[in-house]
């Protein structure tokens, strides 16, 4: 291998450092309207060549061309999907993770990193009310967390029921479950028992009725509830579902990828009652916990059960397992991954720097602005209608008289004018407006600009 690839290049360092420094010191909240991206293939043509390129040329190509197709997720005007709003501390420490080439696979090689990640997992587990023995690991995100947890649910059910691989198994899910849950079941070869929600909320009563009415002989081995649906931020009846799961010996998993951050917020903590009874749950730190992308916390009530499923056996891993004593912890034993970047470290650093009170206040600000916006719509914008009161920080609203095309045209104009990135969604087969408030820097004045834009031109 050409040694030049691994040598220190002062000019390259200065170029990248200058770009990073400019980005991190900027208070610019512009969304940046993306161009169509139709000419990207021409721009990139021939770039990956045998001889390489001048680093300044490549960086400028990114800055002047590629970045123009990117909407700034970190802007407080990014109000669609579940945006990311990483703290500067987490972004900076993400650079440390990369520059130090940190690996978070085995205690043998990464003890300090894993101990720090586990400190964050312990904090989240305590907020959820789980026992001191609970634990897990950080994975790439909610999809990976759901997959890893439900693999454990499946394999433990096979052992308990004495069923061979390939036996037909089912998992009870709501018709409001995140799309990753359905994908997970398909990947692991398990079918879904879809339970109708009650006003978009999965309840214990609905689960009990579905199980009582079920005539399919194949066993239902787990149930997945949601603590904060992506579309509307609805928290399922966790306590009621836990009762039914216990009565039917079902693995109880909660997808709290978005809403789990609400555990930090006293104003909504009681809505999560029942989460302390889970067998597993996930929280994405790159959503409402202000971490960089690619980090989700996966926590088990009994991590040793997960270890019995996920721990990998191979001649080259024997030394790793022999080194693992009672106090040691290999994250690779608790999820489907082996090699992993320690995605929990930026969150650990940010929490240690800012403190949990700051996180509490930042999350409460998202909850508060959602409620304030709902009140504002009701009192000052007769052309708008709140579809349902916000439970967390998502708010659905209707612009009376608009067609689907008018919502999409409005959304496009908002972005072009740099007022906000507010994509419509679908609710009960109707296209409607939706806010997702995550960034603590979003102000009610920014929201007013968006709401004002829904007025008729003549008004």
């Amino acid at each position: 291998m050409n040694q030049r690839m691994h040598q220190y290049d002062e000019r390259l360092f200065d170029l990248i450092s200058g770009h990073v420094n400019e980005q991190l010191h900027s208070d610019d909240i512009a969304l940046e309207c993306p161009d169509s991206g139709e000419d990207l293939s021409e721009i990139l043509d021939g770039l990956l060549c045998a001889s390489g390129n001048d680093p300044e040329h490549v960086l400028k190509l990114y800055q002047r061309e590629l970045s123009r197709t990117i909407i700034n997720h970190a802007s407080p005007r990014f109000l669609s999907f579940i945006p990311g709003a990483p703290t500067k501390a987490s972004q900076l420490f993400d650079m440390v993770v990369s520059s130090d080439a940190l690996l978070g696979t085995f205690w043998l090689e990464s003890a300090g990193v894993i101990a720090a990640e586990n400190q964050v997992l312990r904090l989240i587990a305590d907020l959820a009310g789980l026992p001191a023995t609970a634990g897990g690991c950080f994975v790439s995100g909610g999809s990976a967390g759901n997959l890893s947890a439900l693999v454990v649910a499946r394999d433990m059910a096979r052992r308990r029921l004495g069923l061979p691989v390939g036996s037909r198994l089912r998992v009870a899910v709501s018709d409001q479950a995140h799309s990753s849950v359905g994908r997970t079941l398909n990947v692991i070869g398990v079918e879904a028992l879809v339970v109708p929600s009650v006003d978009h909320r999965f309840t214990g009563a609905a689960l009990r009725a579905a199980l009582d009415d079920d005539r399919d002989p194949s066993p239902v081995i787990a149930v997945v509830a949601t603590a904060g649906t992506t579309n509307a931020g609805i928290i399922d009846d966790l306590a009621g579902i836990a009762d039914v799961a216990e009565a039917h010996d079902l693995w109880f998993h909660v997808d709290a990828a978005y809403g789990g951050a609400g555990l930090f917020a006293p104003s909504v903590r009681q809505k999560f009652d029942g989460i302390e009874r889970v067998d597993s749950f996930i929280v994405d730190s790159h959503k409402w916990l202000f971490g960089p992308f690619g980090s989700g916390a996966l926590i088990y009530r009994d991590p040793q059960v997960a270890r019995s499923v996920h721990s990998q056996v191979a001649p080259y891993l024997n030394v790793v397992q022999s080194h693992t004593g009672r106090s040691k912890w290999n994250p690779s034993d608790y999820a489907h991954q082996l090699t992993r970047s320690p995605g929990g470290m930026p969150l650990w650093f940010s929490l240690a720097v800012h403190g949990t009170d700051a996180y509490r206040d930042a999350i409460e600000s998202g909850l508060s602005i959602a409620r304030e916006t709902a009140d504002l719509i009701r009192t000052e914008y007769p052309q708008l209608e709140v579809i349902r009161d916000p439970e967390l920080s998502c708010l659905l609203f209707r612009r009376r008289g608009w067609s689907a095309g008018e919502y999409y045209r409005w959304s496009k104009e908002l972005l072009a004018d740099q007022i906000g990135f507010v994509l419509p969604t679908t609710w009960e087969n109707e296209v409607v407006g939706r806010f997702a408030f995550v960034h603590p820097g979003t102000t009610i004045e920014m929201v007013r600009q968006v709401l004002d834009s829904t007025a008729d031109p003549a008004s």
Side-chain angles (χ1 to χ4, degrees):
M1 178 180 288
N2 190 335
Q3 292 299 314
R4 186 169 62 89
M5 290 175 57
H6 291 275
Q7 291 175 350
Y8 178 80
D9 187 324
E10 187 170 345
R11 180 163 169 263
L12 179 59
F13 176 84
D14 288 343
L15 286 169
I16 298 298
S17 297
H19 172 81
V20 171
N21 189 58
E22 180 180 346
Q23 293 299 312
L24 290 175
H25 280 82
S26 174
D27 291 324
D28 185 10
I29 60 174
L31 285 160
E32 300 182 8
C33 183
D35 66 21
S36 64
E38 293 176 356
D39 299 327
L40 289 178
S41 59
E42 296 178 13
I43 293 168
L44 294 170
D45 186 44
L47 190 69
L48 304 186
C49 57
S51 58
N53 299 272
D54 181 84
E56 186 171 3
H57 166 71
V58 179
L59 181 60
K60 286 182 177 179
L61 184 148
Y62 167 76
Q63 293 170 328
R64 296 175 180 177
E65 304 291 347
L66 303 185
S67 66
R68 291 173 54 196
T69 69
I70 299 169
I71 302 174
N72 183 5
H73 274 257
S75 169
R77 295 181 183 271
F78 193 112
L79 302 172
S80 291
F81 306 119
I82 302 293
T87 63
K88 299 295 187 184
S90 70
Q91 289 179 289
L92 286 166
F93 207 79
D94 200 27
M95 294 169 56
V96 173
V97 171
S98 179
S99 65
D100 285 354
L102 297 182
L103 183 67
T105 305
F106 306 121
W107 186 271
L108 174 64
E109 58 191 353
S110 307
V113 165
I114 294 168
E117 285 190 310
N118 284 352
Q119 187 178 31
V120 180
L121 294 171
R122 183 68 261 156
L123 171 65
I124 297 171
D126 286 343
L127 289 170
L130 291 179
T133 51
C137 63
F138 280 90
V139 293
S140 62
S143 296
N146 285 333
L147 173 62
S148 296
L150 291 177
V151 164
V152 177
R154 179 199 65 186
D155 287 10
M156 294 309 297
R158 284 176 179 167
R159 296 178 192 177
R160 176 171 54 83
L161 299 173
L163 297 175
V165 173
S167 299
R168 185 166 176 260
L169 301 173
R170 292 179 297 154
V171 170
V173 301
S174 164
D175 56 10
Q176 304 296 306
H178 190 268
S179 57
S180 68
V181 175
R183 287 285 186 91
T184 286
L185 298 184
N186 182 59
V187 168
I188 67 176
V190 174
E191 296 180 28
L193 170 63
V194 180
V195 181
S197 59
V198 180
D199 190 26
H200 301 272
R201 186 171 186 249
F202 190 11
T203 67
L207 175 60
R208 183 179 293 106
L211 293 174
D212 289 346
D213 294 342
D214 184 38
R215 297 296 176 263
D216 191 322
S218 59
V220 177
I221 53 99
V223 57
V224 179
T226 306
T229 58
T230 302
N231 214 20
I234 298 168
I235 301 172
D236 288 338
D237 172 24
L238 303 183
I241 294 170
D243 288 341
V244 180
E246 183 177 339
H248 289 263
D249 203 11
L250 307 180
W251 182 280
F252 181 28
H253 176 69
V254 170
D255 179 352
Y258 152 53
L263 292 168
F264 282 79
S267 69
V268 295
R269 176 58 184 86
Q270 68 180 32
K271 295 178 183 293
F272 295 86
D273 287 352
I275 199 169
E276 71 280 0
R277 298 166 66 185
V278 298
D279 292 292
S280 57
F281 79 107
I282 61 165
V283 182
D284 269 349
S285 65
H286 63 250
K287 289 188 169 71
W288 206 7
L289 286 177
F290 317 115
F293 293 123
S295 176
L298 165 61
I299 299 176
Y300 300 95
R301 169 176 294 279
D302 182 357
Q304 297 312 311
V305 170
R307 183 182 178 192
S308 74
V309 171
H310 283 297
S311 184
Q312 299 187 35
V313 178
Y316 47 83
L317 296 178
N318 288 341
V319 65
V320 173
Q321 298 300 343
S322 65
H323 185 270
T324 304
R326 179 176 296 180
S327 63
K328 310 301 191 297
W329 197 270
N330 295 328
S332 59
D333 289 338
Y334 307 100
H336 73 282
Q337 78 230 332
L338 190 60
T339 301
R340 62 179 288 274
S341 174
M345 290 301 292
L347 176 60
W348 168 81
F349 185 77
S350 186
L351 279 164
V353 167
H354 295 297
T356 56
D357 283 357
Y359 269 72
R360 176 202 63 206
D361 294 345
I363 293 163
E364 288 283 13
S365 74
L367 297 164
S368 177
I369 200 167
R371 300 178 194 124
E372 189 174 354
T373 301
D375 291 341
L376 195 61
I377 288 173
R378 289 192 175 103
T379 57
E380 298 187 25
Y381 294 88
Q383 74 274 24
L384 301 178
E385 176 187 358
V386 173
I387 292 174
R388 63 184 297 143
D389 286 323
E391 193 164 343
L392 291 175
S393 65
C394 289
L395 176 64
L396 299 176
F397 62 97
R398 175 182 295 111
R399 204 298 187 179
R400 294 185 175 93
W402 270 7
S403 65
E406 287 170 303
Y407 277 103
Y408 286 106
R409 184 162 50 251
W410 165 73
S411 176
K412 185 176 181 180
E413 290 172 356
L414 281 176
L415 181 56
D417 294 339
Q418 296 292 280
I419 293 173
F421 184 55
V422 186
L423 290 177
T425 190
T426 301
W427 181 259
E428 297 182 348
N429 300 315
E430 176 191 4
V431 175
V432 299
R434 175 181 176 274
F435 288 121
F437 298 112
V438 168
H439 200 301
T442 302
T443 66
I444 199 64
E445 288 74 24
M446 294 176 187
V447 176
R448 277 186 180 275
Q449 286 184 283
V450 175
L451 299 179
D452 288 346
S453 70
T454 65
D456 290 323
S459 62

